[in-house]
């Protein structure tokens, strides 16, 4: 289970409550069948992996791994066996005689993980264990932790503010905002069916495009209009989102994920009424894809996920509404993620195909999904 959300939303506090490091004001905490509300941390049979590694600097790797087992007064032979087994799993056998200062960040994190695994607890609690590592190592260790969790089969609660980590590692993901649980589900359901605009904005990178739009009926079907464009809604989408009928003639928040745009010159079978024309303000070639930024004359909605992160300085650069200071009032900059085969250049007129079966709609008052 991954707890994800912007800084300050209560992820670490929730984890510390499970560990017994924070008082709870109400409710029950169960580990297995036991209610552990009144048990001390050492009696809860959990093991925690911290962001800062928290290794003992004067001890060798072997002593660090064995320390918790010695406190529990296990036989020396069993301690040695467990330490060797865990060192082999984590590929740190050759570092057993070294002290933490002689290890790299990734090796220290492996030792911190090993110290938790060697305890053989009922649950692992991991508090952003990869955030101190460089990007490439983070991806490698992410895969290793995921594989390790599968082979050990021990319940693991993992805290992160990185939604990519949450999506790739979680069997289920709990999205949090200001101490409130927003949605708990599998990563794909969170992406496909977010319950509100916050979850839609938090899950997915680059973040979902949000603009004010008008819903209407024409030729028996629903259409959505924004910034001088009018797109027909896919029939299946209109059927699945039965609440949309109540919003005909009203303003809604329209969400389009960057990946649901494509360079129309590469999508010759897309009907003309599902295409929009614009001018490319900026392109970012990323090798496997190209991000294209373009402006539309529509009122942009700043996702509450972006503002929550921006308050902590965690946000990606956000081009939207008049937030970036570069776009005039009533003009919003959107982003499309298109194929690397595109010939789109900065300043050129572009035509983008829109997948109208993948649009998202939110109530402008409650920000709940329609």
């Amino acid at each position: 289970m991954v707890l994800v959300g912007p800084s300050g939303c209560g992820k670490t506090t929730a984890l510390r409550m499970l560990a017994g490091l924070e008082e709870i004001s109400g409710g029950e905490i169960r580990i297995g069948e036991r209610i552990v509300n009144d048990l001390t941390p050492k009696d809860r049979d959990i093991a925690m992996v911290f962001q800062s590694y928290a290794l003992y600097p004067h001890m060798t790797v072997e002593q660090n791994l064995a320390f918790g087992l010695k406190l529990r007064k296990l036989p020396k032979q069993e301690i040695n066996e467990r330490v060797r087994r865990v060192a082999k799993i984590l590929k740190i056998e050759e570092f057993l005689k070294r002290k933490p200062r002689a290890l790299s960040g990734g090796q220290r994190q492996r030792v911190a993980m090993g110290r938790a695994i060697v305890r053989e607890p009922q649950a692992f609690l991991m508090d952003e264990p990869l955030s101190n590592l460089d990007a490439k190592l983070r991806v490698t260790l992410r895969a290793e932790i995921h594989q390790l969790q599968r082979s050990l089969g021990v319940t693991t609660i993992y805290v992160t503010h990185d939604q990519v980590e949450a999506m790739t590692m979680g069997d289920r993901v709990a999205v949090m905002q200001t101490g409130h649980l927003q949605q708990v589900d599998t990563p794909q359901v969170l992406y496909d069916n977010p319950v509100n605009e916050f979850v839609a904005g938090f899950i997915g990178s680059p973040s979902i495009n949000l603009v004010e739009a008008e819903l209407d009926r024409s030729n028996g079907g629903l259409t959505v209009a924004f910034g001088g464009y009018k797109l027909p809604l896919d029939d299946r989408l209109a059927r699945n989102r039965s609440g949309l009928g109540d919003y005909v003639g009203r303003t809604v928040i329209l969400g389009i994920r960057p990946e649901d745009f494509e360079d129309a010159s590469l999508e010759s079978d897309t009907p003309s009424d599902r295409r929009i024309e614009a001018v490319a303000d900026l392109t970012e070639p990323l090798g496997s894809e190209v991000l294209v930024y373009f402006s539309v004359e529509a009122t942009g909605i700043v996702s509450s996920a972006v503002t929550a992160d921006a308050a902590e300085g965690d946000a990606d650069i956000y081009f939207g509404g008049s937030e970036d200071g570069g776009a005039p009032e009533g003009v919003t900059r959107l982003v499309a993620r298109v194929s690397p085969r595109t010939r789109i250049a900065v300043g050129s007129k572009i035509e983008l195909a829109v997948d109208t079966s993948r649009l998202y709609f939110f109530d402008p008052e409650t920000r709940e999904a329609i």
Side-chain angles (χ1 to χ4, degrees):
M1 167 73 89
V2 178
L3 307 183
V4 70
S7 301
C9 72
K11 309 180 295 290
T12 298
T13 305
L15 205 69
R16 289 172 63 84
M17 286 174 177
L18 298 180
L21 303 174
E22 298 273 358
E23 287 282 314
I24 65 168
S25 52
E28 288 178 351
I29 298 176
R30 291 174 185 266
I31 299 177
E33 294 302 311
R34 281 194 314 163
I35 296 173
V36 298
N37 290 22
D38 301 322
L39 294 183
T40 60
K42 69 182 177 63
D43 296 327
R44 293 192 180 198
D45 198 15
I46 52 93
M48 200 152 178
V49 180
F50 297 93
Q51 182 178 343
S52 58
Y53 317 138
L55 301 175
Y56 300 111
H58 62 288
M59 294 184 186
T60 63
V61 167
E62 188 170 18
Q63 289 166 334
N64 264 288
L65 292 174
F67 187 71
L69 302 179
K70 281 182 179 168
L71 288 182
R72 289 162 75 182
K73 298 187 168 53
L74 290 183
K76 197 168 185 181
Q77 190 184 350
E78 187 180 345
I79 291 174
N80 288 339
E81 280 174 10
R82 282 203 200 181
V83 167
R84 299 285 166 202
R85 187 166 71 243
V86 167
K88 190 175 179 186
I89 290 171
L90 293 170
K91 302 181 181 67
I92 51 174
E93 296 148 293
E94 67 263 43
F95 309 128
L96 287 174
K97 299 302 177 194
R98 288 193 197 177
K99 289 191 174 170
R101 65 172 175 270
L103 303 177
S104 70
Q107 289 160 353
R108 284 182 207 177
Q109 192 51 271
R110 281 194 175 91
V111 177
M113 297 276 304
R115 196 175 50 187
I117 293 165
V118 83
R119 295 259 315 277
E120 297 179 5
Q122 278 200 285
F124 293 123
L125 307 182
M126 300 191 183
D127 189 7
E128 303 202 27
L130 305 183
S131 58
N132 286 346
L133 305 176
D134 64 68
K136 197 168 184 183
L137 185 57
R138 209 157 55 211
V139 172
T140 309
L141 271 181
R142 191 165 75 201
E144 285 183 15
I145 291 175
H146 197 179
Q147 207 171 5
L148 194 61
Q149 200 278 335
R150 288 275 182 280
S151 60
L152 294 172
V154 176
T155 298
T156 303
I157 299 183
Y158 189 103
V159 160
T160 180
H161 66 267
D162 181 342
Q163 55 98 11
V164 176
E165 232 168 72
M167 296 286 280
T168 51
M169 295 178 81
D171 295 309
R172 291 197 302 154
V173 178
V175 183
M176 296 176 69
Q177 181 192 21
T178 58
H180 292 274
L181 192 59
Q182 300 294 311
Q183 187 174 1
V184 184
D185 220 311
T186 61
Q188 199 59 46
V189 170
L190 293 181
Y191 178 87
D192 290 333
N193 299 305
V195 294
N196 57 29
E197 166 271 320
F198 176 83
V199 176
F202 200 85
I203 301 295
S205 179
S207 193
I208 192 169
N209 299 296
L210 297 168
V211 293
E212 281 187 6
E214 300 281 334
L215 270 180
D216 223 332
R217 248 184 230 289
S218 66
N219 302 331
L222 289 175
T223 60
V224 62
F226 68 100
Y229 309 115
K230 199 168 192 176
L231 297 170
L233 263 59
D234 186 80
D235 291 340
R236 187 185 295 172
L237 176 83
R239 280 198 302 275
N240 290 345
R241 306 257 193 276
S242 53
L244 285 173
D246 301 335
Y247 287 82
V248 170
R250 290 164 60 185
T251 299
V252 294
I253 297 174
L254 167 68
I256 309 176
R257 291 206 182 274
E259 45 274 29
D260 294 328
F261 289 108
E262 186 51 276
D263 182 349
S265 65
L266 304 173
E267 294 268 327
S268 53
D269 55 345
T270 304
S272 58
D273 62 355
R274 299 187 184 197
R275 301 180 181 207
I276 63 174
E277 291 182 350
V279 174
D281 297 335
L282 176 72
T283 61
E284 291 183 349
L286 300 176
S288 60
E289 64 203 21
V290 177
L291 300 184
V292 179
Y293 294 88
F294 61 98
S295 298
V296 298
E297 289 186 3
T299 305
I301 303 294
V302 181
S303 168
S304 47
V306 171
T307 49
D309 262 357
E312 295 292 333
D314 286 346
D316 296 330
I317 290 175
Y318 174 73
F319 297 97
S322 53
E323 296 295 313
D324 66 331
E329 193 68 38
V331 173
T332 302
R333 193 166 287 173
L334 307 185
V335 57
R337 177 191 264 167
V338 301
S339 163
R341 305 197 314 278
T342 185
R343 293 283 175 263
I344 290 174
V346 174
S348 64
K349 276 195 167 183
I350 58 173
E351 192 178 27
L352 294 169
V354 185
D355 183 349
T356 57
S357 67
R358 305 267 316 143
L359 302 178
Y360 297 80
F361 296 92
F362 305 95
D363 183 294
E365 302 297 323
T366 64
R367 300 268 175 134
E368 298 292 312
I370 301 170

